[in-house]
Structures are given as C-alpha cells and as structure tokens.
C-alpha cells in the first residue's frame, strides 16, 4: 500500500492508532476488511446534525466574539504524510482554530492527538494566511460542551512519535499488541479478528 505515491495516513487513522494500534494495522495491511458498526453510523449522523446547529449558533461557545467558520475543511500535507477533513475551522484576525466534533461522552488522549494533527495540517496547508495555530476545540455532542486543547510542545512531540510508529506498522506490516485497556475491545469493529482478547 505504501508503494503508490503520495501515501498519507488519514487523521482518523492516527486517532485509531492511539486508541488501539491494531486498528491501524487492519486499515493499512488488510484494507479490504472494514466492518461497519451501529456506533459508526450513529456518529456520522450526529456530526451532520451538529453542523446544522453550529451554523445557527454564535461563537460564544468557544469564547470568541467573532470569526469566520469553514465547515468540512479538506487538509493534506505530503510533508507530514497526513490528510483529513476537519469538521470546522474558525478563522479570527489573530489565529486559526480547528474544531473537531465528537459523538463520545468522555474525553480521551486519542481525541487530543487527532485535534493536534488537524492543527499541524492547518499550519502547513494554510501557511499563506500567516496566522498561528495555537489551540483547538473538541466539541462533545452529547453534552454540547466545547473543551479547549492547547497545542503544547509535549502534544506536538507525541504527534511526531505516533506518526513514526504508524509508518513502521504500515511499512513492516507489524501486528501490534492490543490496546492497553481491554475494555476498548468490547465495541471494536475488529474484535472478532483478534484471537487474544476478550
């Protein structure tokens, strides 16, 4: 799969890799195998409904008085080896702020890293705007709550390390260990493919 140029991971691949590295393995090494679960379909519907509400809402949710919103922003960087579609971008006079909708009720580090990846893509793809990308928001749909995420140097290092690990899994076709928290396997679409969990 890496022989065709240019190859990029999707930002969702990064999120899945952090959640459980085996999901990335199945996506890249066995791409024809892709079960679809009810939770996945429900998440897509929730995203669509959230966009409609967002268009009518003020930016107070994000602590902003004004800004321009862009929805479903396609982003790509051969340099980073990443591509993705950002749910919403807020452009103010001072900065670019990515916003990622989440159908989950709880926060997770994999969501923060995914948002950081969108931030890095914006830094590269929208560099011509000359605006920094210092933070973003995870918008949790069930509670209609926006959580600010600062793009710290530590989070940037975590992203760089995760991308190196992902490339290794794909290039060497390494079957990684399961998620550290086996409770994550309960609702996983690939659960039946792993013979050493649950």
């Amino acid at each position: 799969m890496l022989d065709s140029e240019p190859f990029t991971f999707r930002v969702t691949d990064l999120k899945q890799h952090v959640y459980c590295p085996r999901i990335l393995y199945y996506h890249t090494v066995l791409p024809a195998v892709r079960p679809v679960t009810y939770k996945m379909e429900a998440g897509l519907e929730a995203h669509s409904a959230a966009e409609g509400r967002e268009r009518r809402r003020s930016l107070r949710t994000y602590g902003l008085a004004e800004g321009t919103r862009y929805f479903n922003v396609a982003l790509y960087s051969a340099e980073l080896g990443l591509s993705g579609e950002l749910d919403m971008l807020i452009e103010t006079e001072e900065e670019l702020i990515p916003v990622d909708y989440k159908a989950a009720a709880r926060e997770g580090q994999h969501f923060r890293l995914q948002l950081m990846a969108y931030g890095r893509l914006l830094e590269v793809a929208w560099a011509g705007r000359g605006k920094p990308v210092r933070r973003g928001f995870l918008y949790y749909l069930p509670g209609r709550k926006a959580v600010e995420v600062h793009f710290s140097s530590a989070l940037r290092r975590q992203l760089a390390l995760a991308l190196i690990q992902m490339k290794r899994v794909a290039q060497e076709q390494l079957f990684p260990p399961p998620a550290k928290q086996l409770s994550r396997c309960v609702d996983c679409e690939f659960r039946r493919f792993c013979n050493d969990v649950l």
Side-chain angles (χ1 to χ4, degrees), residues 50-169:
E51 182 182 327
R53 286 191 299 273
E54 185 69 51
R55 289 180 186 275
R56 299 185 299 271
R57 195 171 34 231
S58 77
L59 292 172
R60 282 194 311 258
T61 302
Y62 309 103
L64 299 169
E66 57 183 39
T68 303
R69 283 181 272 213
Y70 303 92
F71 294 94
N72 303 313
V73 179
L75 298 166
Y76 167 83
S77 169
E79 172 191 337
L80 296 173
L82 273 177
S83 62
E85 186 173 303
L86 176 62
D87 292 326
M88 183 175 73
L89 167 64
I90 302 171
E91 182 177 15
T92 71
E93 288 186 11
E94 296 84 29
E95 63 182 327
L96 300 172
I97 306 169
V99 179
D100 193 21
Y101 303 147
K102 293 297 168 200
R106 292 183 301 170
E107 296 181 40
Q109 183 62 15
H110 57 303
F111 294 151
R112 291 176 175 273
L113 212 54
Q114 181 183 21
L115 186 63
M116 176 73 254
Y118 284 125
R120 284 290 292 125
L121 280 167
L122 281 170
E123 287 174 341
V124 173
W126 287 52
R129 303 268 181 155
K131 295 180 181 178
V133 186
R134 298 181 294 248
R135 62 182 175 144
F137 286 92
L138 293 169
Y139 186 83
Y140 291 92
L141 301 173
R144 296 186 180 182
K145 174 184 166 190
V147 175
E148 186 175 11
V149 176
H150 291 278
F151 296 153
S152 65
S153 55
L155 195 58
R156 290 171 182 274
R157 283 193 301 272
Q158 288 175 8
L159 173 61
L161 179 60
L163 290 173
I164 290 169
Q165 293 169 342
M166 290 169 65
K167 287 174 187 170
R168 188 163 178 243
V169 167

Side-chain angles (χ1 to χ4, degrees), residues 3-55:
D3 294 337
S4 60
E5 287 290 321
F7 174 82
T8 62
F9 289 108
R10 297 168 303 153
V11 175
T12 54
D13 293 331
L14 168 73
K15 176 190 72 172
Q16 297 293 3
H17 169 73
V18 175
Y19 189 78
C20 174
R22 284 189 177 173
I23 297 175
L24 174 74
Y25 172 86
Y26 291 127
H27 283 198
T28 56
V29 178
L30 302 171
V33 178
R34 182 63 171 142
V36 176
T37 66
Y38 167 78
K39 279 179 78 175
M40 294 163 69
E41 291 175 343
L44 290 173
E45 289 176 19
H47 272 66
S48 179
E51 182 182 327
R53 286 191 299 273
E54 185 69 51
R55 289 180 186 275

